[in-house]
Amino acid sequence: MTESARRLELDKILAQAAEFCVLGGSKRALLSLEPTGEIAEAERRVSLTAEARRLLFELGAGGIEAFPEPADALDRAEKGATLSCGELVGLAALLRSARLCASSVLSLPSREGEGMKELAERLAFDEGLEKEVGDKIRGENELADTASEKLYAIRREMRLLGERIRARLSGYLTGEERKFLQDGIVTVRGDRYVLPVKAEYKRSVRGFVHDRSATGATVFIEPEEVLEMNNELRSLALDEREETERILAELSRAFGGMADRLRTDLSVLCEIDTYYARAAYGYRTKSVRPALNARGVLDIVKGRHPLLDAKTAVPVSVKVGEEYDFLLISGANTGGKTVTLKMCGLFCLMAACGFFVPAAEGTRIPVFRDVYCDVGDSQSIEENLSTFSSHILNLRSILEEAGKNCFVLIDEPGGGTDPEEGQAIARAVLSALARKGCRGIVTTHFGALKEYAYSREGMQNGCMEFDAQDHKPLYRLKIGAPGSSNALAICARLGLDAAVIEEARGYLSEGAKSYEATLTAAEEERIRAEKARAEAEEGARVWRERVDVLEKEEEKFRAEKEKFLTASKAQARRIVAERTARAEELLGEMEALFRKESLTEADLFRARTLKNAIGREEGEEETPPRALPVDAETLKAGDDVFVASLGAAGKVLSVRREKGIAEVQAGPLRVRSKISDLYQPPRAARSAREEKKEVRVVRNLSPRADLPRECNVIGMVADEALPEIDAFLDSALLAGRREVRIVHGMGTGKLRAAVHAYLKKDARVEGFRLGRYGEGESGVTVVTLK
């Protein structure tokens, strides 16, 4: 990493991002990452970070699964060495990590994650070998009994033989020999079962002495009667070891045969892990993907230095490289000039490393060949360098190496020496860099340098804003005008004695006083103008929002009005047609009476009746009062309603507001209806019910042409599907349907079981069956209605 990158604190960013790495190799790779100077490589890195972010935070990928580093295990396995249980388990974990990573990345939709897919396609894994290791090895140092049939038989025989030995020795623990024993237990010495005998009784127990306690009070004796069994147990232990080594060698050869592929897996997984870490770091810092360019255009929108507290940092917008190549930032000390300068350089390095940057959308970052920086105090006592000397050495190196497609950041050039000479040096350095075709940002307090930026093409002044009333910096960059240093105001804010400050002000030249006063007044006016403009824009925004709301309300009212007029006209036409038909019917009957040659008294009575009926028809209202929908919140059992789909009045029996359904008794029918299909009954209908205490329901059993023959509930849970099926069966029954279909799909069978349980209890259902071939088979239930 270059010295400039360290001064811009790229190493700290890499260290923070490396904490999100899962693998040790990826952490080391990220810490040693170098920014690229190629736009294509930078684009590739940023694209991979974007794909990793989508995988982690949108598609729910689990990232890289951790596994122990194989160290030299792969090399030894490749050379034919036998690996330990722990090493084999670690390599199996590497296989598992590669398999899971490949499956999560390659499952992305087509045209998504092309870069990550290219990496994942290089991963090799063997699920069979991975499973074999998992089945045969238990823990870090033990094979499972089922690792092979021979191992299982050996260990079974060892267990049985051990039980026989312990049973034989237990006689010593309960018999007369018990008095010879130090403890009432059977123990093991050198893979052989022995008894702990008191030293004074060692000749009382016939057998072989295998060991003695540290105090000498106890000797461990193997009785003669278990000698042969212990020998056999020892032989079985050797067989077990031999079989264990055979199994481990077989597994080691399998891994040795794919050592090269596993090394590739390790490299690819580490690379993917670094991009997951970059994505996680960007997500934590609320960073956005920058738009990269090779034209040297830096346009940061509300950027925040990533090492500052995001809750307190003031966002800064900076633009360089489009209308001008160099930005000269001036303003008060502690106002944020150096932080802004370092942020710009750091963002360029972060983007070149594939990181997102903590800024707002629309941020554009250039990819430079090199980024040079001279910032901070580089004084060195060991090297006999003053602050001024160290800065000059840095500037010399920059002037020698920088050129086109380079970004130069200099904090207060010419400082640490005589101001007049320092200004001259700073101006000459800036002029030389401009001639070389560099782009850059420079901070300064020199008035001559601010004037130079005004007169030189390709340079622009900028200032960090300062509140002259409260004597504190605002940490906002304003491009287009220089700023005052406000040194005396800063001294007062930091508590320097007022008398000292006043005396210092007296030492200022008249020109300096006038210049600072002019800059301060201009800055105050500009801040006031900015504040007034912001208030005006906010007021305009509020009024625009109000106008938009009113326009939407007007449009909604216009639509409702049109809908009401259309409905009213249709209803009026229907009523007129009905009345006309009725009147023609009555007139026709009267004409038939008068065509008779002679009229009886009954005919005359009938004629008067018809005349009165015609009068009543003419005297009725041309349009009935408009029906109003019921209030879903106040609807309750016992309310009178009009069911629009039936064309009949009824009484509410129960209400299920969470489902939007009510059960209604309409004459002899008991139906479930959507609350949105219920209306308040007309007054005439209510008064008629109050007088007659009866309901007249007309049931039209003619089939409805628009009623579907099937109800599709695929994708619903039972609580959602059953109300839909219930309403569908009501409509089918009223439409005179004999047979309907319910499409529930195959799936796990839970929905089909719930539908069948419901149909068995439904009084409207005569029977049901699963669909036949061509009807949907087990994914469809055919229902026969009564």
Side-chain angles (χ1 to χ4, degrees):
M1 183 177 294
T2 65
E3 185 61 30
S4 291
R6 287 192 183 88
R7 288 174 179 164
L8 293 172
E9 300 175 296
L10 177 64
D11 55 333
K12 295 181 181 179
I13 302 300
L14 295 179
Q16 289 184 355
E19 294 300 318
F20 293 96
C21 289
V22 174
L23 308 177
S26 55
K27 182 174 292 189
R28 291 191 296 273
L30 199 55
L31 288 173
S32 61
L33 183 64
E34 293 289 342
T36 180
E38 301 294 330
I39 182 69
E41 175 61 17
E43 286 281 10
R44 187 187 77 88
R45 292 179 179 184
V46 171
S47 295
L48 285 170
T49 302
E51 293 171 12
R53 181 164 178 162
R54 175 160 169 72
L55 273 168
L56 286 177
F57 302 108
E58 294 180 33
L59 301 179
I64 301 297
E65 186 169 300
F67 55 86
E69 293 192 45
D72 63 340
L74 283 176
D75 295 335
R76 291 190 294 110
E78 193 174 26
K79 293 176 181 178
T82 299
L83 303 181
S84 67
C85 291
E87 289 173 325
L88 290 170
V89 169
L91 292 178
L94 169 57
L95 284 176
R96 172 181 168 82
S97 184
R99 175 174 59 83
L100 294 178
C101 178
S103 62
S104 67
V105 173
L106 296 177
S107 63
L108 278 173
S110 59
R111 297 183 181 179
E112 274 201 64
E114 295 298 330
M116 294 292 280
K117 284 180 180 178
E118 286 182 10
L119 290 174
E121 285 171 354
R122 295 168 54 196
L123 292 171
F125 52 89
D126 187 335
E127 192 170 358
L129 180 57
E130 174 194 334
K131 186 176 186 301
E132 185 179 2
V133 173
D135 292 341
K136 290 184 176 181
I137 299 179
R138 293 284 184 267
E140 292 290 319
N141 299 299
E142 182 184 2
L143 284 178
D145 291 350
T146 55
S148 73
E149 293 183 2
K150 183 177 180 180
L151 184 63
Y152 179 80
I154 291 171
R155 288 185 174 176
R156 182 175 179 275
E157 191 172 351
M158 289 176 68
R159 283 193 296 271
L160 293 175
L161 187 57
E163 290 173 3
R164 286 169 54 199
I165 295 172
R166 285 192 297 273
R168 185 71 60 86
L169 293 178
S170 63
Y172 287 86
L173 304 179
T174 57
E176 294 181 0
E177 294 87 351
R178 176 178 176 80
K179 62 184 178 182
F180 304 138
L181 303 182
Q182 189 71 264
D183 298 305
I185 59 171
V186 176
T187 185
V188 176
R189 282 292 185 275
D191 294 335
R192 303 181 77 87
Y193 287 95
V194 296
L195 293 172
V197 179
K198 296 176 182 178
E200 59 267 28
Y201 295 118
K202 64 181 178 181
R203 289 184 176 81
S204 300
V205 178
R206 295 177 60 83
F208 298 90
V209 176
H210 282 277
D211 199 359
R212 184 168 57 184
S213 67
T215 61
T218 305
V219 292
F220 298 94
I221 298 177
E222 178 186 7
E224 287 182 347
E225 58 182 313
V226 297
L227 176 62
E228 288 302 323
M229 287 189 289
N230 268 333
N231 288 340
E232 187 179 351
L233 186 63
R234 177 64 178 166
S235 178
L236 288 172
L238 294 175
D239 292 342
E240 179 195 24
R241 183 182 301 171
E242 183 180 339
E243 179 63 11
T244 297
E245 289 177 354
R246 185 192 67 78
I247 294 170
L248 293 178
E250 184 179 288
L251 292 173
S252 298
R253 283 194 298 273
F255 281 107
M258 59 183 307
D260 287 338
R261 290 187 293 165
L262 289 175
R263 291 189 188 97
T264 301
D265 282 357
L266 183 61
S267 174
V268 171
L269 289 173
C270 284
E271 184 174 359
I272 293 176
D273 192 27
T274 63
Y275 286 108
Y276 280 149
R278 279 175 264 201
Y281 177 79
Y283 185 81
R284 193 194 71 173
T285 56
K286 298 180 181 178
S287 298
V288 300
R289 177 177 181 173
L292 303 184
N293 67 86
R295 297 178 290 108
V297 176
L298 177 71
D299 185 5
I300 298 175
V301 182
K302 296 182 179 179
R304 295 172 285 102
H305 196 290
L307 297 179
L308 296 179
D309 187 352
K311 296 179 181 178
T312 58
V314 178
V316 178
S317 297
V318 186
K319 185 179 291 187
V320 180
E322 203 162 33
E323 299 174 359
Y324 46 88
D325 296 333
F326 271 87
L327 176 64
L328 203 69
I329 303 178
S330 53
N333 288 302
T334 72
K337 298 189 302 298
T338 303
V339 172
T340 300
L341 177 139
K342 293 176 71 173
M343 178 191 74
C344 294
L346 182 58
F347 277 16
C348 292
L349 296 177
M350 288 176 65
C353 288
F355 283 89
F356 286 12
V357 296
E361 293 290 346
T363 294
R364 296 180 290 168
I365 303 293
V367 177
F368 290 109
R369 174 173 60 84
D370 283 304
V371 175
Y372 297 97
C373 175
D374 177 46
V375 61
D377 186 357
S378 301
Q379 185 177 23
S380 174
I381 297 175
E382 292 84 357
E383 298 179 13
N384 195 27
L385 291 177
S386 66
T387 299
F388 177 74
S389 300
S390 65
H391 281 302
I392 294 302
L393 290 178
N394 288 335
L395 292 176
R396 184 190 71 181
S397 176
I398 292 172
L399 288 171
E400 289 174 353
E401 299 175 12
K404 287 187 177 180
N405 197 27
C406 289
F407 196 42
V408 179
L409 304 163
I410 305 176
D411 188 26
E412 298 188 21
T417 187
D418 178 75
E420 187 173 352
E421 291 182 346
Q423 293 184 66
I425 293 171
R427 179 170 174 173
V429 168
L430 201 56
S431 178
L433 291 173
R435 288 195 301 271
K436 282 176 168 285
C438 301
R439 286 180 170 82
I441 300 176
V442 176
T443 66
T444 188
H445 290 287
F446 292 149
L449 215 56
K450 301 173 191 176
E451 295 174 5
Y452 177 64
Y454 267 126
S455 61
R456 176 67 185 253
E457 185 179 354
M459 293 189 183
Q460 180 64 277
N461 273 302
C463 67
M464 303 305 297
E465 295 185 355
F466 187 83
D467 189 337
Q469 294 181 350
D470 295 336
H471 302 299
K472 64 179 182 180
L474 300 176
Y475 306 107
R476 295 196 301 261
L477 175 64
K478 179 66 179 178
I479 296 176
S484 172
S485 296
N486 292 290
L488 297 179
I490 295 294
C491 290
R493 178 171 171 265
L494 296 177
L496 190 64
D497 187 84
V500 174
I501 295 173
E502 192 59 35
E503 184 177 351
R505 185 174 284 108
Y507 292 145
L508 291 174
S509 66
E510 292 300 322
K513 291 179 182 179
S514 175
Y515 179 74
E516 289 295 324
T518 301
L519 283 181
T520 302
E523 182 67 9
E524 291 177 358
E525 281 298 321
R526 188 188 60 76
I527 291 175
R528 281 196 291 270
E530 288 285 342
K531 184 177 180 180
R533 187 184 70 177
E535 292 175 353
E537 289 178 352
E538 178 64 18
R541 185 189 63 79
V542 171
W543 279 109
R544 279 197 303 270
E545 289 179 356
R546 292 179 179 177
V547 169
D548 290 342
V549 170
L550 290 175
E551 287 178 350
K552 289 178 181 178
E553 290 293 330
E554 182 181 4
E555 183 64 27
K556 183 178 178 182
F557 174 76
R558 190 181 297 111
E560 287 291 333
K561 177 182 177 183
E562 186 66 26
K563 182 179 178 181
F564 174 74
L565 291 176
T566 302
S568 299
K569 291 177 181 178
Q571 188 175 17
R573 285 194 296 270
R574 180 181 60 79
I575 292 173
V576 169
E578 289 177 357
R579 299 289 169 80
T580 301
R582 177 61 176 160
E584 289 177 352
E585 181 183 349
L586 295 175
L587 288 172
E589 191 173 347
M590 289 185 68
E591 289 177 358
L593 286 174
F594 289 120
R595 281 198 297 269
K596 291 184 177 181
E597 295 183 358
S598 60
L599 297 175
T600 65
E601 187 175 348
D603 290 336
L604 293 174
F605 180 77
R606 177 60 179 162
R608 282 195 300 273
T609 302
L610 292 173
K611 178 178 180 298
N612 292 335
I614 292 173
R616 284 197 302 274
E617 290 289 333
E618 293 175 349
E620 288 178 2
E621 293 178 328
E622 292 189 24
T623 58
R626 185 186 180 201
L628 299 176
V630 299
D631 187 349
E633 297 298 326
T634 59
L635 186 67
K636 63 184 184 300
D639 286 355
D640 293 324
V641 293
F642 183 80
V643 186
S645 60
L646 299 179
K651 186 179 290 293
V652 176
L653 300 178
S654 64
V655 180
R656 297 179 65 183
R657 288 187 179 83
E658 69 278 4
K659 299 293 185 181
I661 294 173
E663 191 171 5
V664 181
Q665 183 74 40
L669 293 180
R670 183 171 182 169
V671 298
R672 287 182 184 173
S673 174
K674 293 181 179 179
I675 295 178
S676 59
D677 194 40
L678 302 180
Y679 293 84
Q680 297 178 11
R683 291 189 180 86
R686 286 203 299 270
S687 61
R689 277 200 305 277
E690 291 172 358
E691 292 176 4
K692 299 183 179 180
K693 300 297 182 181
E694 65 180 12
V695 177
R696 182 170 177 268
V697 178
V698 178
R699 182 179 178 185
N700 182 7
L701 297 180
S702 60
R704 298 183 182 179
D706 58 344
L707 179 69
R709 292 186 175 274
E710 66 180 28
C711 178
N712 191 329
V713 294
I714 292 177
M716 301 182 185
V717 297
D719 288 343
E720 297 171 340
L722 295 182
E724 293 290 332
I725 294 172
D726 184 75
F728 172 70
L729 293 180
D730 274 342
S731 301
L733 195 66
L734 292 173
R737 291 278 165 78
R738 175 66 175 166
E739 188 175 87
V740 294
R741 303 192 325 153
I742 298 174
V743 182
H744 43 66
M746 298 181 184
T748 61
K750 291 183 179 179
L751 182 58
R752 179 176 65 243
V755 171
H756 287 184
Y758 176 78
L759 294 175
K760 286 179 182 178
K761 300 177 183 178
D762 199 311
R764 298 166 295 184
V765 177
E766 183 176 303
F768 61 88
R769 61 176 173 81
L770 288 175
R772 301 188 182 95
Y773 179 76
E775 292 181 327
E777 301 181 13
S778 60
V780 173
T781 296
V782 180
V783 183
T784 304
L785 301 176
K786 294 181 179 178

